[in-house]
Amino acid sequence: MAALVVTAGFGGAACGSDPEPEPSFVGAAEVCQGIFPDRMEKTVEAVAGATSFERRAGGGMARVIEKIKEGYASDRTWSTSEKLCQISAKGVSSRERTSLSFSIYAPQDVGDPRNPDGVRLFPLGKEAVAGARSAGLYFECVSPRLEGSERVPARIRGGLGKAHERGDAVSDLVANLTVLHAGSLAVAKELECEGNGGLPENLDPELKPLS
C-alpha cells in the first residue's frame, strides 16, 4: 500500500509540472515579434486602437528579409510588399487590422508631389509621409547581405496601413510614423544596413512636417 501511495505522489507531481498554455492575447510590447520597446506601448495602443492584441505566429521578419534580398537581386526596380506583421487588435475584424509591410521601391516613388489630401511630408529617411490611417518611410541600405549595395544601395519602403482613425492632427500622424519607424529600424538592423539606413535610433515625438 505504501508503494502505491508513493507512486501516486510522483504521478501527481509530474502532472503539476506541465507548462501552462500561452495566453491568446498579449500587450503591445509583445506584438510584431517584440520590435516595439516598452516606452512605445501607449503609442502602439493609440495607433492600433486597442490595449489587447491577438498572439500571432512569428516569422514575418525572415520573410521580409528574404523578399528584400530577392527583390534587390532581380532586374526589376521595385518589388511587391511582404508583411512584417499585423497588429491584431482584440475585437477588430481581419480587414481592419493595422499592418506593417516592406518592399523595394522604384526611384520615381520618392519626390512625387501628388500626395493625397491630409498626407504630410516629414524629414526622415530619404522620404517619409503620414496620413490619418497610414504612413510610408523610404530609406536606402548598404549591407554585406545585399551583394552590390555598396555601389547601388537597396531602396526599401516601409508601409503602415489601416491605423485606427483618430484624425489628422500632426501628433497623430507622428504616432503612425513612430510605429512604422520602429518596424523600419528593426528591418534595417536585421539587414545589417550601414548606419541603420540613415534612420535614428529614436524618433522625436515633436517631429514637425516639412509641409
Side-chain angles (χ1 to χ4, degrees), residues 28-39:
E30 295 184 65
V31 301
C32 291
Q33 300 174 233
I35 63 173
F36 303 118
D38 291 343
R39 58 180 169 74

Side-chain angles (χ1 to χ4, degrees), residues 29 113 160 165 181 195:
L160 176 142
E165 177 67 72
H181 166 264

Side-chain angles (χ1 to χ4, degrees), residues 40-187:
M40 279 186 58
E41 182 178 20
K42 295 301 181 184
T43 302
V44 175
E45 290 175 353
V47 169
T51 58
S52 184
F53 306 90
E54 292 182 15
R55 181 182 293 277
R56 310 285 291 182
M61 180 64 79
R63 292 191 295 270
V64 164
I65 299 304
E66 189 59 32
K67 189 76 170 184
I68 289 173
K69 290 170 66 177
E70 289 177 358
Y72 181 73
S74 73
D75 292 330
R76 302 179 66 176
T77 60
W78 59 276
S79 72
T80 55
S81 63
E82 181 66 42
K83 194 169 292 180
L84 175 64
C85 64
Q86 280 188 322
I87 307 174
S88 304
K90 184 177 181 179
V92 174
S93 71
S94 59
R95 291 177 296 179
E96 288 299 313
R97 290 172 177 166
T98 305
S99 64
L100 293 174
S101 300
F102 292 84
S103 64
I104 297 288
Y105 70 86
Q108 62 269 24
D109 292 344
V110 166
D112 188 343
R114 298 170 297 174
N115 285 321
D117 290 343
V119 173
R120 310 288 293 275
L121 192 65
F122 290 84
L124 181 65
K126 300 299 290 186
E127 183 171 284
V129 294
R133 300 202 65 195
S134 64
L137 176 53
Y138 302 77
F139 63 98
E140 292 186 346
C141 176
V142 175
S143 166
R145 300 185 66 181
L146 299 169
E147 186 177 353
S149 61
E150 70 280 2
R151 291 179 286 101
V152 181
R155 300 179 304 274
I156 300 174
R157 178 191 184 273
L160 176 142
K162 297 186 178 178
H164 180 63
E165 177 67 72
R166 286 121 48 229
D168 59 0
V170 170
S171 59
D172 293 323
L173 306 190
V174 171
N176 291 345
L177 199 55
T178 298
V179 169
L180 176 56
H181 166 264
S184 300
L185 185 64
V187 168

